[in-house]
Amino acid sequence: MSTRIGIMGYGNLGRGVECAIKQNDDMELVAVFTRRNPSTVKILTDGVKVYSASEVQDFKDKIDVLILCGGSATDLPVQTPEYAKYFNVVDSFDTHADIPQHFEKVNKSATESDHIALISCGWDPGLFSVNRLYANCILPEGKDYTFWGKGVSQGHSDAIRRIEGVKDARQYTIPKEDALEAVRSGKNPELTTREKHLRECFVVLEPGADADRVTHEIKTMKNYFDEYDTVVHFIPEEELMEHHSGIPHGGFVIRSGATGWNKENRHIIEYKLTLDSNPEFTTSAIIAYARAIHRMYKEGQRGCKAVFDIAPSYLSPLSGEELRRTML
Amino acid sequence: MSTRIGIMGYGNLGRGVECAIKQNDDMELVAVFTRRNPSTVKILTDGVKVYSASEVQDFKDKIDVLILCGGSATDLPVQTPEYAKYFNVVDSFDTHADIPQHFEKVNKSATESDHIALISCGWDPGLFSVNRLYANCILPEGKDYTFWGKGVSQGHSDAIRRIEGVKDARQYTIPKEDALEAVRSGKNPELTTREKHLRECFVVLEPGADADRVTHEIKTMKNYFDEYDTVVHFIPEEELMEHHSGIPHGGFVIRSGATGWNKENRHIIEYKLTLDSNPEFTTSAIIAYARAIHRMYKEGQRGCKAVFDIAPSYLSPLSGEELRRTML
């Protein structure tokens, strides 16, 4: 039996969910919901319609899992508890500090309405979190490192665009090779923000804008750039379009730990992602987890879950027997 | 409440389990069992005794999980189904092709006796398997690669030692950097055995042995070396002791896959282990999974499990709330 999916919100994430469904035979796209005028939203899947977000409750019995593709700042804190009243839901809430309170609200809503919900799915939070957990359990005496990149930071790109005289910009977060090597050596270094990541900016200026002033404003911008080594390149708009229009990302989760009666042996566990498309990889994880929570729902599980609570076998369309034979 | 552990068999793995217990406050070593004369086996933990394997049934109510530290060739196929009659058990059965039938036998025994069992725990099978599963579910269209090393292969070292004129030997399996880079590039290459791994041998000769003949016998040995590029070094015994007495290992699980409406975006997921001590890392994983199956047993779960069936949160001594706050 297939899992019937609804998509709430059709930006990069919504489109990514749609593409991931196409790659999984047991997943079926039922409807896309938008807060825009539905007639203005064109999707890729033949025969599937776009509806107004206000119509979603009509689909209560037609959707197994509703994927919430809104943003973490203002959409999901409201949407996830709300839609968990009517649907099993998955979101990609990624404001790490607010996860505990988001979990409580979603858990209350899903439990009271007899649904299952999964929050903070994707790669960080998500697969990176799962890898931190496995590595911490296996090497209880050790140290964790997370590096991000090379990849586009949307937030930092937006911050540059708000500077006067900037027409467009793209910011890449780049892990420093020296820091990675120091961690891999097992020396458990203490690394500052500046030592871990470099910020590289590609900026298109408005005609007549002062490049020196823009550079200075970028490099000294509080919270965004002032604690980092930042490199600024000014390029023509065509070059930005041609070479910097993708949304690559990735990163590393590394744990360095010791075992042995006297902690005499060192071990390094490294998990590395190199992604051409941040939103498509995020949504590929979301669709695998949507399969999992649909199965857990059918088994009677209810309430809010984190990726930690989901056994890996639930993510796969294969049976336990097939998995043991082919992947163990 | 702590998990009371028994160790069956006290070689490298048994000793590794003992060391891992020391690193986990909620784990307690109750007894070590051996087929040797118990008085000849010295363990590290003060106040814990060594018993004959034949006495293990006296501990039915004193042990929560019995860790089976025998070999996969002849010990575990018999021991795991047998001891699952009396205990919750974990083994590290690693003959991949025989896992399905081992699972069936252990599942029958554990189910009939109302116990829980985990087979094939460690890093391969084990953590590598879990990573293959996650990566396959997230990137359903892609290709898997597993590389081993740099590390000591006990089986290949033993094979060299059986050659006439060889006093001692150590064989390292080494992944080839070219092959790794080709995989990381996303080109999904087809790689032969020879292209993936190099075999490097350090050999101590008996006095008067013919080095050329030994080299020839190693390089042409069927199943072990004939399909590989093999490098042979002859060294003095002291050098072998001084520089090659550790048991390092590790390896890589890489999945390279595509997403997007027209598969236009590439992604690489890489999981890498660099281990000073193969048995100690294996047993560090086993102890985390012993915690998990003890918890699952208390929740009422029975029968044989694989690492795929165990939600990551069960491996941790922390509560769900603590995990969400600190690792998600």
Side-chain angles (χ1 to χ4, degrees), chain A residues 22-23 103 125 129 132 138 141 258-261 265-266 268 270 272 274 276 280 284 308 312-313 327-328, chain B residues 22-23 125 129 132 138 141 258-261 265-266 268 270 272 274 276 280 284 308 312-313 327-328:
Chain A
K22 189 187 180 194
Q23 290 190 299
F103 182 92
S129 321
R132 281 189 280 265
I138 291 152
E141 299 188 52
T259 66
W261 196 251
N265 288 310
R266 289 243 135 241
I268 310 285
E270 176 172 336
K272 176 183 176 187
T274 312
D276 271 2
E280 285 181 10
S284 293
F308 301 147
S313 57
M327 289 190 204
L328 194 58
Chain B
K22 188 187 180 195
Q23 290 190 299
S129 321
R132 282 189 280 266
I138 291 153
E141 299 188 52
T259 67
W261 196 252
N265 289 311
R266 289 242 134 244
I268 310 284
E270 176 172 336
K272 176 183 176 187
T274 313
D276 271 2
E280 285 181 11
S284 294
F308 301 148
S313 58
M327 290 191 205
L328 195 57

Side-chain angles (χ1 to χ4, degrees), chain B residues 12 15 30 49 58 61 85 98 102 105 124 126-127 164 179 183 187 222 224 235 240 294:
Chain B
N12 283 332
R15 189 180 175 286
V30 171
K49 286 189 183 167
D58 299 341
D61 301 320
K85 293 180 190 166
D98 296 338
H102 187 58
K105 280 161 59 184
D124 195 5
L127 298 169
E164 199 189 314
V183 170
K187 289 182 194 127
K222 282 264 180 289
Y224 283 89
I235 59 173
L240 193 82
H294 184 213

Side-chain angles (χ1 to χ4, degrees), chain A residues 127-149:
Chain A
L127 298 169
F128 271 21
S129 321
V130 162
N131 273 278
R132 281 189 280 265
L133 176 50
Y134 276 110
N136 271 271
C137 296
I138 291 152
L139 297 174
E141 299 188 52
K143 202 162 156 52
D144 287 315
Y145 297 88
T146 302
F147 292 85
W148 293 275

Side-chain angles (χ1 to χ4, degrees), chain B residues 80 84 87-91 103 106-107 109-111 115-119 293 297 301-306 309-310:
Chain B
T80 315
F87 297 96
N88 300 321
V89 296
V90 179
D91 80 15
F103 182 92
V106 176
N107 190 44
S109 168
T111 306
H115 287 108
I116 188 168
L118 173 67
I119 61 160
I293 71 150
Y297 176 78
Q301 298 199 51
R302 300 293 184 266
C304 190
K305 308 292 172 190
D309 306 313
I310 295 177

